[in-house]
Amino acid sequence: MNDLEKTVKILLCLLLGFLLCGCWDRRELESLRIVSAIGFDLTEKEQYRVTVQLIVSSPPGEQANSESATKLSINSATGVSPLTAIRNLSHTAARRFFWSDNKVIIIGETLAQKGITPVIDLWLRDHQPRLRNQLLVAEGEAKTFLEDESKTEKIVAKKYEDIIENQERTSTLTKTDVKNYIVQANSPGKIALVPKISFASSQHKYEVKGKEKVVIIEGAAVFKNNKLVGWLNEQETRGREFVQKNVKGGIITVALSEKQEDFVDLEILKADSKIIIDWLERQPVITVKIKTISYLNEQSTEKDLSKPEILERINQLYANKIREEITTSLAKARQLNTDYFGFSTHIYQRHPKLWNQIKSDWERVFATMPVEVNVESEIKRTGTIHGSPLKSKD
Amino acid sequence: MKLAKIRRKKNQLPTAAKFIEQRQLDQKEKLSSVLEENLCLIRSIIGNSMDIVFRKFSFGPQKQDQGAIIWIDGLVDKKLVTENILKPLMVENRRIDVEKAGSAGMAEFIAQNYISGDQLFLTNKLAQLINSILSGDTGIIFAGDDTAIIYKARNWEGRGVDEPDTEAVVRGSREGFVETININTSLLRRRIKSPFLRLEAMKIGRETQTTVVIAYLEGIANQQIVTEVKTRLNKIDTDSILESGYLEQYIEDSPFSIFPTISNSEKPDVVAAKILEGRIAILTDGTPFVLLAPYLFIESFQATEDYYSRPYYASLLRLLRFSAALITAFAPAVYVAVVSFHQETIPSQLLLTVSAAREGVPFPAYMETMIMLFIYEGLREAGIRMPRPIGQAVSIVGALVIGEAAVRAGLVGAPMVIITAITAIFSFLVPSLTDSLSLLRLPFVVLASLVGYFGIIMGVLAVVVHLASLRSLGVPYLSPLAPFNAEMMKDTFIRAPLWSLNKRPSTIRVQDEKRESDNLMPRPDNRNEER
């Protein structure tokens, strides 16, 4: 074999490599429109309405920096299915949509009640969208939340994403991306929690001036078989998050007496949970053990909190408060008949045979099975000062 | 044409005519003992060149003895010739006792007794005499003797030993080789005083008769490789060797590769270090660039200063050079691939910035890249060729027009300018690979513009396969990476302390691997501490 022949053969082998590539397509960046958020709604005519938030960037020469050069465009279209609606959207924009940089998916309340299976399916089936997109359920229409004009963050989707990222500051919202949703929805209980996005109303704890709309992400929507079945408030959400080991921080306020002004704030440093399953006459008995460490971060009394007996009492109250949050949440779960704590998953994973026996009867079992909550808590430190800023009287 | 040939022949001696016809001197042709005949022969071979000087003289008590001295004007130290040859023969020793010359011959007699000066030898070969004269020696012939004295008094105008422009250093010797080979060998000899340093000369180039010197350390360099180099050099049958680059192209292992398998340097300390590692240096007369072989790929990433400075920063610089090579080869291609195919691999914030910058750029990314690379190569070449005072104008035009105005006008995106700048800067971190990487960059951009990352990977595969197939004088080019050599890893991606580099690079098949003793790590002396 001479050299030329050899070279040609090697080149041919290399060329064969080009057959290996799957789907590829050249699309220049400037021919794409970046989608930063998408909203799904159900119209009155039972049609799917898709709203996308597009980022329109203008060349840097026109504005000083790229941040201010970014504008948002909200496009909306309807169709008989989510994908048709998305395709119909292409008549509203000159460029192709670029989905990989999408950050949040907001689902309207009516659609959520009807079922979000097509949306989730689309997100899994198509190659562009990412499973790390945060899911949100809107109180009302999803579209209105995409139209929100943020003063601080230019890109609203980014703001929503960051709010969810900050979950650990309060732990009163749950964090669910598409992947996580699928894992939850496919668990034995088929229950998933998705954070709730809503506008603050005046009776709420947020101040609203005039016509201004303040978007808050707090609490959770409960999905059962991909359908919205109920809402959880902040405390109920945190109760569930304690059991699910998702609590990384947050404030628990403990009242020291009946008086409104006597309170102590404890910041959660660490919270761990353990679910113990016992069986009594083929019925599960569940013990939730919460182990938490906190530190005292604020107080309104004049007592010297460094005294062990006072600290011990606060600790007791603190543990009670957590237990209360969990039991309230449990009551809500029983009321909705949805096991969003994931007890069924635990039973299935640890006692699959026994689970098979109670599987068909799970809803009744869940409603009646005893659940005990044990909270073991510890206050690690009391901050940079010991007692009260005012001199203690006793 | 034919007429001219005949006429020329008429004026020439038959031997000279034969030589000119063959364009080669017969090595066996001997000198005649008749002075006039010799002179005539030489004159007709060399022709009427204005720079050749014939000086006839008489000496002896009665001025009965005739001699002639021949040299090339400008190559000879005239003062030395006058002082050492003409003066003793013609002035000081009027009474040369020619009778005593006897059977030994006049040339030998004169050489032994009357000519002072160190370098001279005798020859009776015409070819040797003429070649020596043309190389700058002085030839002396005598009437009645067929032997000539060749007196070495070369002296011509040359550049002094200077700091080389191509290999600037912060720390280390500032001497660079020059165009004169004797000075170059002396620079080497001054660094390696070993009696085993071999400097073997040969002449290559029918017309140029260029002196080429092979330098190596006997007992360390692989003898087989030395023989191989000599064989390859001897095979070269060409009219001229004007620069060591000529030699490189005649003796390299893979003439079709874009990667160099023979390196070069114009710094004596670099060449000395390579020779001490067991490599072979090839010095060429007329150029400061010395060839070095066998050459490994990783040597491109080693710099002299790595060894002169302490190992820590040197190691960091090594790693920097490796990444610089990757960046300069791939940055434009990756940019094209990312912008045209794989936008999802850009972090969100960066994507916004890049997309804003691309907004309104009239060309697709690959065109933009090609244009910028083209302009950059142009600027680079202009910067080298321009007369130095105008060079500044080029850089100002380049920086302002290309960098600033093109972006302002929206012809090129700002990221592209940054990519080009990074590519340009990093390409100079690995000087010996600059050419190869510049060549590679373009096919990579083409591949990236066709199939994205996939194309780049295919390109990389092809290049790696090619690199692994290269040999430098029989030594695998990619060693010590492939085939792997653990010992040499100490001096590959990092530079281990000198006291731990006990062995010479073994993949170049050195005869004696041991470089230094094993326990050289400096330690405080215990006894001293107690005191």
Side-chain angles (χ1 to χ4, degrees), chain A residues 27 30 95 101 103 130, chain B residues 340 343-344 348 358-359:
Chain A
R27 15 164 222 182
E30 61 269 26
R95 300 183 183 183
D101 211 46
K103 300 206 183 323
R130 291 190 176 172
Chain B
S340 312
Q343 294 90 355
E344 63 274 5
S348 299
R358 292 281 307 148
E359 205 67 36

Side-chain angles (χ1 to χ4, degrees), chain B residues 302-351:
Chain B
Q302 300 171 340
T304 22
E305 278 177 277
D306 288 359
Y307 302 94
Y308 299 161
S309 48
R310 299 186 66 237
Y312 310 102
Y313 188 57
S315 299
L316 179 72
L317 283 180
R318 277 272 165 90
L319 296 173
L320 182 72
R321 276 183 221 119
F322 275 97
S323 35
L326 290 179
I327 289 170
T328 191
F330 297 117
V334 168
Y335 174 74
V336 170
V338 160
V339 168
S340 312
F341 289 91
H342 313 286
Q343 294 90 355
E344 63 274 5
T345 55
I346 318 176
S348 299
Q349 280 301 313
L350 187 62
L351 179 68

Side-chain angles (χ1 to χ4, degrees), chain B residues 168-193:
Chain B
V169 287
V170 176
R171 180 174 183 173
S173 154
R174 274 161 225 285
E175 279 181 336
F177 283 124
V178 292
E179 281 74 7
T180 317
I181 194 151
N182 293 37
I183 298 178
N184 291 352
T185 50
S186 73
L187 287 172
L188 265 189
R189 192 59 95 171
R190 256 177 45 208
R191 280 173 176 80
I192 309 174
K193 281 149 200 135

